[in-house]
Every structure is written in structure tokens, then in C-alpha cells.
Amino acid sequence: MEKIKMPTPLVEMDGDEMTRVIWKMIKDILLAPYIDLNTEYYDLGLVHRNETNDRVTIDSANAAKKYGVAVKCATITPNAQRMTEYDLKEMWKSPNGTIRAILDGTVFRAPIIVKGITPLIPTWKKPITIARHAYGDVYKNTEMTVPDGAKAELVVTDKDGNETRELIHNFKGSDGIIQGLHNIDESIASFARSCFNFALDIKQDLWFAAKDTISKKYDHRFKDIFREIYDREYDEKFKAAGIEYFYTLIDDAVARVVRSEGGYIWACKNYDGDVMSDMVATAFGSLGMMTSVLVSPDGIYEYEAAHGTVTRHYYKHLKGEETSTNSVATIFAWSGALKKRGQLDNVKELCGFAEKLEKATVQTIEDGVMTGDLYVLSDLENKKKVNTEDFLKEIKIRLDQLL
Ligand code: NAP
Ligand code: MG
């Protein structure tokens, strides 16, 4: 078989620890034998980020902007312990945070569903994709403790110096606490567009929920901005694609999600997304089966696994011990990126290959061959636990049959 050609490069962002080990194995075993891989390579491993004063992260994000599609390996976000472990010049920021700020994107997280791993919520048959607004609210708040007898107010000073005041609370008889939150229309609008575009891309309904009945200005603004953009820019496209935009109150949304069979995108405000993404991920099974894609409002896609660098397994690997690390989410990051590249460049073979790679991966697990994290969850009878590399080789056997 002749190798598939890629006319436009895919931006490849390498990473750290166990996922870096897996990254190379996936390329060697599942990609390079079939594709003439055309990637623009950026090494986001912590050693190289430190050498370049984190310039490489910024360069990689700009390359994603240029080419439109990127695939990223998990990376270490440094903390005090990593400062000594890697002898770092600075506590470099989270690469994901840096990339997200440059692309102004929204993160969509979706589980990969396989037979044998039953969601904890039995009605869930299809993936639920969570989109989290990653700006403002409680994550950029200002808080104060307030003594008894004090009056707390919101004060806004406009550019001409005029003040507008609103009473928060007169504290009488007890000390208390206050919190100031903000968001900006521009960020909410970007979030809305990313969600509408992604819904069109994967042809699934979009749900959005807030608490506009209680928060008549703050949450209501989110609801209004989504509605205005939908009516003006997306209504016709959604109808043509046969999908729906649906707004409801957040508590009603939670109840509906639990009763639903899945198969839609759930757009969440920042805090709701933080909480609900962990709930949904846990209920679907393993972190090793959760994919993540960053989508910018102007249609740039960056694919990755939702999990981290799996440090504990990496230290075992370094000691020469056998590991059984799940590579599925990282494989799907590659297949997602290759499929998107193929769609944009109109290379059908690339899209077809990506789909077969996903099929072979799911087939392997459904045949009972899986890594340790899934082995403990699977209800298949003839299940077998394999090591990190053998899992990839088992996928290759099935991929060769499909090609
Ligand atoms: P983690 O790497 O996601 O791993 C946490 C635990 O979850 C693992 O020890 C393992 O459990 C299980 N697990 C996660 N992915 C797995 C997989 N693919 N296969 C099998 N088991 C898996 O999270 P962490 O240990 O909190 O973070 C490690 C490093 O990753 C940190 O330096 C952090 O900064 C970074 N991180 C990066 C990203 C990113 O780049 N997107 C995201 C999160 C964290 P057992 O040990 O019980 O087997
Ligand atoms: Mg969380």
C-alpha cells in the first residue's frame, strides 16, 4: 500500500513523561507505516520549554493559527516540586493556558464509548460533550471579608468619572463575606460562536443553561448573547443540519442530562463546566477514554487527551517495570486531527484512515484486549490485560484487517 500524502502540515506538539513515551509509540506503530506524516514539530516537553524560555509554546500556538489544526501531547504544568526536578529557570505557565489564551478557544471534552464499559448512569448510550467557558466568573474574582456594622456596595466608575452604586448588603449583627465577579461580552460571544460552530461540525444539538431567573443581569446576559448570535448567524445553518439550539435553566438541564441518552453538546458557564465535566467524565468511566478539543471562534482546532502525563506510570517505566497505560485518548487526538486535516484539504484517504484507526481501537477493547484501567471496569467475560506497547500492536492487527 502506498502511504497517504498530507499536502498541508499538521502542527504537532510533543509533551512529557508517559504520554511522551506513548506519543512516539503511536507514531511508530499506528501512523508512520501508513501516512507520509507531514507535521510541523514543536517540542513542548518541559526540558525544551525551559531551554526556550517557553517561547516554543507561543510558537506552537501561532503555528496552529497558521495551519488551522494541531495535535497536542499532555504536558507538565510546573509546580514547586517540578522546579527542582527539572532545574527550571522559572515556574512556566500551563501550556494549555498559554495556547488557549492565544487561540481564544473553548475546550470540548467528550468520552469514547465502548461495549463492556457501562456508564454509571445506565440511560447514557451516546457521548455527552461538555463545553466549558474558560473566562471570568469566580475564577477571576475579588473577595473580601466584611466586619459587622459595615455596608458593602458595588461601585462602577465610568470613563468620565461618574459613579453608579448598588447596595450589596448592610451587615448588621454578624461579620460576613462578599465576592465580585465579572465577565465580558466579547468573551461570551466567542464562547457562543465556538459552541455553535462545533455543534455544526459534529452535527449534534447544543444545550446551554444558566440561572437567568435569579441572576437577571449577569446570567441573563449570557442567555441573551447566545440567543442574539444564534438568531442572527446560526439559525438557518442549524435547520439545514437538522440540529437544535436549546436553552434551559441550569437545574433543569442537570435533571434532563441525567435522564437523557446523551448525544449532544452541553455548553456550561465556567463553574458549571468545572463541576459537570468531572461528573460526566467519572460517570462515563476512565480518564484514559476522555478526549478534548480546543476550538477557536474562527475555526482553529487543537486535539488532545483530557488526562495528564500519567506521572506514576512514567516512574515505573523509568525503573524498567512494565506499564499498562491507556493510549486511547491520545490515539483519538491524532485521529481527530488527521480527520480534520483531511476534511480541510479534501484528502479522503486521510479521513478514511482516521476513521479506521478509531474503529480498530474500539474493536480491540470490545474484543476484550485492554489496558489495566479498563480491565478493572470492563464487564466482558474474556477480558485480557495487556501492557502499553502490546495494546498498540493489537490495534495494529485490527487496523491492517480494516485497511
Ligand atoms: P494524570 O496524568 O491524568 O494521572 C492521574 C491518574 O489517573 C494516573 O496516575 C492514573 O491512575 C490515571 N490515569 C490518567 N490517565 C491515564 C491513562 N491514560 N491510562 C491509565 N491511567 C490513567 O494526572 P496527574 O497525575 O494529576 O498529573 C500528572 C501531570 O500531568 C502533572 O504534571 C500535570 O501538570 C499534568 N497535566 C497535564 C494536562 C494536559 O496537558 N492537558 C492535564 C492534566 C494534568 P493510576 O495511577 O491509579 O493508574
Ligand atoms: Mg474540575
Side-chain angles (χ1 to χ4, degrees), residues 318-343:
L318 285 183
K319 278 193 267 176
E321 288 170 32
E322 190 173 79
T323 57
S324 182
T325 313
N326 190 339
S327 49
V328 171
T330 307
I331 294 170
F332 273 65
W334 272 100
S335 62
L338 291 170
K339 218 188 294 176
K340 179 53 77 183
R341 192 69 276 166
Q343 282 166 3

Side-chain angles (χ1 to χ4, degrees), residues 132 273-275 277-278:
R132 173 179 171 190
D274 187 350
V275 177
S277 61
D278 283 8

Side-chain angles (χ1 to χ4, degrees), residues 356-377:
K356 283 173 186 155
L357 176 57
E358 292 180 356
K359 218 171 154 185
T361 305
V362 170
Q363 189 64 54
T364 304
I365 301 166
E366 294 185 346
D367 285 348
V369 180
M370 60 196 82
T371 46
D373 58 317
L374 297 184
Y375 182 81
V376 297
L377 295 173

